[in-house]
Amino acid sequence: MVTRESPAAHLQIVRTREALREALARAPRPVGLVPTMGWLHAGHRALIARAHAETATTVVSIFVNPRQFGDPADLAKYPRNEARDVAICAEEGADLVFAPSVEEVYPPGFDTSVRVGEVAQPLEGAARPGHFDGVATVVAILFDLVGAERAYFGQKDAQQLLVIRQMARDLAIPTEVIAHPTVREPDGLAMSSRNVHLSPAERAAAPAIRRALLAARECWQNGERSADILRDRMRAELSEEPLAEPDYVSVADATTLRELKTIDGPTLVSMAVRFGATRLIDNELLD
Ligand code: AMP
C-alpha cells in the first residue's frame, strides 16, 4: 500500500539561528528563500509556490520585523496568525519555516544597521524614515543565515526590491534576487496583509489605486511622455474617490527612482494612498 504524507507532516518549523543552520546543513540544493511578515495571502502563496517549483528546498521566514516599523501603533496592530500561516506554507510546498523571536534575530547587544543609499531615499524611504534600514538589515541577516541560491520578492514592493538588489550586490551576497508579479484581487486591488484593516467602504474605494495606475499606463501607451501629465492623470483619477487620500504619486526612473520630467526609458509609476487609517501602495512598470 502506498501511503502519502500530508504536506504538513513534511514541513519543519525552526525558531533559532542554530536550528535553522542544522536543518539547512542536510537540505537538498538549490535552496529558495521567501521572506515574509506572515498573515499570508495569495501574493505570498505565489512566491512560495514559485520557490517550490524552482528550487529543491523552500524556506519561508515569518517575522514581523520591528526595525522596519516607524510607528509603534502600526507594529502593534500588524495582523498575526502563525498556525494559519504554517498551514499555507505546507499547502504551497514549503519545506522549512523559520519563525524566530525578536531576540533571536536581534540578540541583546545587537548594534548594526544596513543602510542603502540613493535608491532607498525617495517614496517609501521619505514617507517612512528608517523603514528601509530595517528591511535591509533583516534581509541581510536572513540571506546570511539561509545562504539560499535564490530569494523571491513581490513586485508590489518595487522600491524594496531595488533596495534589496543594491544591498545584495554591494555586500557581495551570492543569493539571486527574483521578482514576482503582483497578485491582485479580482477588482484589481493588490493583495496586502494591510487590506484586512479596511472598512467595507474603504475596501470598496481601494481599487481607485489600480484605476489610477492603469490610467497612467493608458496615457503612456497612447504616446504621452510628459511625467507631469501622467501624475495629473493619476491625481484626477484618485480625486474621483472621496475616501482616497494620496500620500505621493510618482513617475520615476525604474532603476534610480529619480522623479522624471520626460519618460524616455523604463519607468516606475507608483503611489501611496490612505484610506482612513490604512496606507496602501501599488505600482506599475512602464517598459
Ligand atoms: P510582507 O509579508 O508584506 O513583508 O511581504 C512578503 C513578500 O511578499 C514581499 O516580497 C512582498 O513584496 C510580497 N508580496 C506582498 N504582497 C504581494 C502581492 N500582492 N503580490 C506579490 N507579492 C506580494
Side-chain angles (χ1 to χ4, degrees):
M1 195 180 83
V2 178
T3 54
R4 261 206 171 160
E5 271 189 14
S6 74
H10 162 88
L11 182 73
Q12 195 185 346
I13 304 174
V14 292
R15 300 192 184 276
T16 64
R17 293 175 174 222
E18 197 187 338
L20 177 64
R21 284 222 155 97
E22 257 168 40
L24 283 167
R26 34 195 165 72
R29 317 294 306 192
V31 170
L33 169 65
V34 182
T36 82
M37 297 205 298
W39 200 259
L40 303 183
H41 51 64
H44 301 108
R45 278 186 189 268
L47 299 183
I48 300 166
R50 178 154 171 203
H52 177 59
E54 295 182 353
T55 63
T57 300
T58 297
V59 181
V60 180
S61 61
I62 299 176
F63 179 62
V64 182
N65 176 30
R67 289 185 169 239
Q68 71 186 71
F69 287 82
D71 174 9
D74 192 27
L75 172 63
K77 77 172 186 188
Y78 200 84
R80 302 169 197 239
N81 186 337
E82 189 186 281
R84 182 173 155 274
D85 289 342
V86 167
I88 288 174
C89 289
E91 280 170 29
E92 299 304 333
D95 302 286
L96 202 53
V97 168
F98 180 47
S101 65
V102 173
E103 295 70 33
E104 189 64 29
V105 176
Y106 304 117
F110 185 97
D111 195 20
T112 294
S113 179
V114 178
R115 185 177 170 279
V116 171
E118 182 178 350
V119 82
Q121 305 314 310
L123 309 175
E124 291 304 290
R128 306 175 66 190
H131 170 68
F132 284 126
D133 295 0
V135 170
T137 302
V138 80
V139 173
I141 294 169
L142 290 170
F143 276 15
D144 184 59
L145 284 174
V146 177
E149 277 78 3
R150 296 173 180 182
Y152 295 83
F153 294 87
Q155 180 63 35
K156 194 209 140 220
D157 300 286
Q159 188 177 14
Q160 170 171 282
L161 251 166
L162 292 172
V163 167
I164 289 165
R165 285 215 161 105
Q166 179 83 46
M167 182 273 291
R169 200 163 52 236
D170 293 350
L171 300 184
I173 297 172
T175 302
E176 183 188 355
V177 174
I178 294 173
H180 192 79
T182 302
V183 176
R184 300 178 180 284
E185 301 282 359
D187 62 9
L189 176 65
M191 299 257 181
S192 166
S193 308
R194 295 178 187 278
N195 293 351
V196 71
H197 298 309
L198 298 168
S199 71
E202 290 161 357
R203 172 64 188 82
I209 296 179
R210 180 70 174 152
R211 284 198 299 277
L213 290 168
L214 290 180
R217 168 176 282 286
E218 199 188 331
C219 256
W220 173 77
Q221 273 168 340
N222 290 337
E224 183 56 65
R225 292 296 177 266
S226 157
D228 268 338
I229 290 181
L230 261 63
R231 290 184 195 99
D232 289 347
R233 184 74 194 80
M234 289 190 278
R235 288 195 179 275
E237 192 66 41
L238 289 174
S239 70
E240 299 281 307
E241 178 45 72
L243 293 180
E245 293 172 52
D247 186 349
Y248 62 77
V249 167
S250 161
V251 179
D253 179 293
T255 312
T256 62
L257 296 186
R258 286 185 202 138
E259 288 299 312
L260 293 173
K261 268 179 97 72
T262 306
I263 297 172
D264 59 0
T267 299
L268 186 76
V269 174
S270 67
M271 60 179 68
V273 182
R274 284 179 202 282
F275 295 85
T278 307
R279 184 175 176 280
L280 303 179
I281 59 169
D282 200 352
N283 66 83
E284 188 69 14
L285 196 58
L286 308 181
D287 195 355

